[in-house]
Amino acid sequence: MNQLNRADLVFCCVGVVRFIISHSRAMAFRSLRQRLSLPLRRTVVFPLHFSSTAEHPQLVRDFIRSALCDPNHGYFSQRSASVGVLDQSIPFNQLQGRKAYMQHLDRIYKHSDISWFTPVELFKPWYAHAIAEAILRTTNLSVPLKIFEIGGGSGTCAKGILDYIMLNAPERIYNTMTYTSVEISSSLAERQLQTVGEVRSHLSKFKVECRDAADQDGWGNVEQQPCWVIMLEVLDNLPHDLIYSENQVSPWMEVWVEKREDGESLSELHKPLQDPLIARCADIVDLDDRNDSRKSPFASAARHLWANIFPRPRRCWLPTGCLKLMEVLHGALPKMSLIASDFSFLPDVKIPGDRAPLVSTKKDGMSFDYSSYLDAKGDADIFFPTDFWLLERIDHHCSGWRRQHDNRATKKGKKRRTIMLDTSSFMEEFGVPAKTKAKDGYNPLLDDFKNTKFYLSVPTHNTK
């Protein structure tokens, strides 16, 4: 069976479980009246808690990248051991129910200096096994299997996938496959080699490239063969940009971060849209209704009048880091298939703006959320909800189809077949849910991850 037919079959099978999560994004974002309390002025001043290395104004995405990844004072540099590794799998079938599971987690966190355990770690090996099964059902097994994982963490996902393929796929698939982890952290790269190396035969198929996946030069020549790209909890930490508008009809402006002359505070500086990456992302997001120009003059005048009487500032976070990464991946791996998993919404976000991040730190074993992203000073994680419908638009745009479609220069079909599944649907389709179920039927993998989704995207030849 060729790759197209396999992909069509799998997507038809799992299409019946596609649905929109019933939880409203209102849980993740405050009302506009609560969120947009900033005064209508050019500059907003915040206390200076984070010593940025930039002496000149910088875009918000660069500030966030520094706050997270700066080698001297970035969060991931200071918390290199923040991603936990469990000594052994959780015995779900031996736990009575939810209370017993939460008590088990509490003991794990109390006995380790760990900020968090990823889902692939909490539910190992079953989480990774489900991903491997999805790959085996969809891939073209007549060519060597190539897998790239972006941000492989501790290596638990890589080892789980290699284990599953070794035990469940034809021997030639395992013997000829390659698994490449693209990891920006040198300490995590070393840990991945140790984790995967627990099975000696895996090391001949596995390698770690310590580099930034969003750097085009790191990929070298274009890979013309089919391959898979895995991104688990990667999108939420990618830098975002922030744009601002004084009211409902005023133009959007870029937000920059700068030090004030006193050196004791940071301020937001608003400039006209000019950054190319922000401009491309804003165009994909389609911030302002393009049909507005076709509305009646009366409707347009009424809108402007309403904005003057009841001005409402607007703040919007743009996933420019995601756009840049997807542009690079589509350029380097034009025949890639993609599996990504991340938060679809975040509750109790204090930062204003659409798709705003949660800025959280851990002190004395307790989590604390900041009300400003500028409070991040190397001790706080900054993570964003993923708008999966926007991710799909970015995916299509970077494949070339969205640009062709918007410009109406061609009538060719989509270059990608995509589907979004909530975590429970994905695991029920490709995993073995019984392995993570407690005695009373409670299943944390299916019941507790309502704010996470999987995104699957495969190339298609339906372009005529």
Side-chain angles (χ1 to χ4, degrees):
M1 185 178 294
N2 60 37
Q3 183 177 11
L4 177 59
N5 290 337
R6 284 179 177 273
D8 288 345
L9 178 60
V10 170
F11 277 79
C12 286
C13 290
V14 300
V16 297
V17 296
R18 179 178 181 174
F19 62 91
I20 301 175
I21 290 182
S22 59
H23 294 267
S24 170
R25 280 194 174 89
M27 292 184 64
F29 303 111
R30 303 296 186 190
S31 67
L32 287 173
R33 184 168 300 177
Q34 289 175 311
R35 291 187 281 119
L36 302 179
S37 58
L38 298 177
L40 292 178
R41 60 183 181 183
R42 181 170 177 269
T43 303
V44 182
V45 179
F46 298 88
L48 178 58
H49 293 295
F50 174 67
S51 179
S52 174
T53 57
E55 295 299 327
H56 303 286
Q58 58 184 173
L59 286 165
V60 170
R61 69 170 180 262
D62 296 322
F63 175 84
I64 291 176
R65 182 183 295 109
S66 181
L68 291 175
C69 302
D70 186 274
N72 296 319
H73 53 246
Y75 174 74
F76 293 123
S77 300
Q78 297 191 44
R79 302 291 184 91
S80 59
S82 57
V83 179
V85 178
L86 295 177
D87 294 332
Q88 57 186 359
S89 300
I90 296 176
F92 296 98
N93 297 154
Q94 299 176 22
L95 301 176
Q96 182 60 40
R98 188 176 193 279
K99 182 178 180 180
Y101 169 71
M102 298 305 294
Q103 291 174 342
H104 187 84
L105 280 187
D106 186 56
R107 288 193 296 270
I108 291 175
Y109 277 100
K110 283 183 177 180
H111 287 84
S112 62
D113 186 23
I114 297 300
S115 296
W116 75 89
F117 289 94
T118 60
V120 73
E121 190 70 36
L122 288 175
F123 301 101
K124 69 178 182 183
W126 317 116
Y127 198 96
H129 285 185
I131 295 173
E133 175 63 19
I135 291 175
L136 289 178
R137 286 197 210 174
T138 312
T139 196
N140 179 4
L141 297 179
S142 66
V143 298
L145 176 61
K146 293 185 178 182
I147 300 176
F148 295 90
E149 184 179 2
I150 310 301
S154 63
T156 298
C157 180
K159 181 180 181 299
I161 289 177
L162 287 166
D163 287 347
Y164 188 87
I165 293 176
M166 178 180 66
L167 296 174
N168 295 278
E171 185 177 357
R172 63 178 177 82
I173 302 301
Y174 176 72
N175 290 337
T176 60
M177 72 175 293
T178 59
Y179 195 116
T180 303
S181 173
V182 182
E183 176 58 58
I184 197 170
S185 168
S186 57
S187 60
L188 287 177
E190 293 178 3
R191 180 177 294 182
Q192 289 172 30
L193 288 172
Q194 295 173 0
T195 301
V196 174
E198 293 174 6
V199 178
R200 187 180 298 273
S201 62
H202 290 350
L203 289 177
S204 63
K205 296 123 177 73
F206 180 80
K207 67 177 179 178
V208 181
E209 297 180 357
C210 196
R211 59 183 175 86
D212 183 357
D215 183 357
Q216 179 73 55
D217 295 336
W219 290 94
N221 297 329
V222 175
E223 174 60 70
Q224 298 293 351
Q225 296 300 315
C227 62
W228 279 88
V229 173
I230 301 172
M231 296 191 297
L232 306 181
E233 290 79 51
V234 169
L235 299 174
D236 57 65
N237 277 135
L238 291 180
H240 283 53
D241 272 291
L242 179 61
I243 56 177
Y244 171 82
S245 174
E246 290 188 349
N247 56 52
Q248 300 92 313
V249 295
S250 61
W252 289 98
M253 306 184 76
E254 301 172 354
V255 178
W256 292 60
V257 177
E258 67 174 353
K259 287 184 179 180
R260 292 182 63 83
E261 293 182 359
D262 57 16
E264 297 181 356
S265 59
L266 294 175
S267 63
E268 282 187 349
L269 180 66
H270 304 146
K271 298 182 180 182
L273 289 182
Q274 57 186 357
D275 178 74
L277 184 59
I278 293 178
R280 293 199 302 275
C281 196
D283 183 62
I284 296 172
V285 174
D286 197 10
L287 294 165
D288 297 309
D289 187 3
R290 293 179 179 177
N291 295 323
D292 186 59
S293 60
R294 293 193 287 269
K295 293 179 180 178
S296 67
F298 175 79
S300 179
R303 183 183 176 198
H304 281 74
L305 178 61
W306 184 263
N308 289 329
I309 298 175
F310 300 104
R312 189 177 62 192
R314 298 180 294 172
R315 292 166 70 86
C316 180
W317 293 85
L318 298 178
T320 47
C322 173
L323 174 58
K324 181 181 180 182
L325 177 59
M326 293 295 285
E327 287 177 341
V328 169
L329 290 177
H330 275 284
L333 311 171
K335 295 182 180 180
M336 72 167 180
S337 296
L338 173 67
I339 293 182
S341 177
D342 231 303
F343 299 103
S344 55
F345 66 86
L346 298 171
D348 303 322
V349 173
K350 298 180 179 180
I351 312 295
D354 294 330
R355 292 180 292 273
L358 190 65
V359 181
S360 180
T361 188
K362 192 173 183 180
K363 298 179 181 179
D364 300 324
M366 300 294 292
S367 295
F368 174 79
D369 298 338
Y370 289 115
S371 58
S372 169
Y373 68 95
L374 292 175
D375 286 335
K377 54 182 183 296
D379 68 337
D381 193 3
I382 306 173
F383 54 105
F384 295 81
T386 295
D387 185 334
F388 281 83
W389 302 108
L390 178 54
L391 174 61
E392 184 180 49
R393 288 179 63 89
I394 291 175
D395 189 18
H396 284 309
H397 175 88
C398 293
S399 72
W401 177 80
R402 173 63 65 180
R403 293 189 296 273
Q404 295 171 342
H405 177 75
D406 289 345
N407 295 333
R408 302 187 183 280
T410 178
K411 293 184 179 180
K412 292 183 178 180
K414 293 182 179 180
K415 292 185 176 181
R416 312 285 297 176
R417 297 202 64 180
T418 61
I419 190 169
M420 286 161 274
L421 299 170
D422 67 304
T423 296
S424 61
S425 297
F426 180 88
M427 292 300 167
E428 287 175 336
E429 177 65 31
F430 299 109
V432 186
K435 296 294 186 179
T436 57
K437 185 169 63 174
K439 292 181 179 180
D440 66 355
Y442 164 72
N443 193 324
L445 181 56
L446 303 184
D447 300 337
D448 291 352
F449 286 79
K450 300 299 185 181
N451 66 331
T452 62
K453 284 186 179 182
F454 274 84
Y455 176 77
L456 288 81
S457 172
V458 301
T460 178
H461 302 291
N462 181 29
T463 57
K464 295 183 179 180

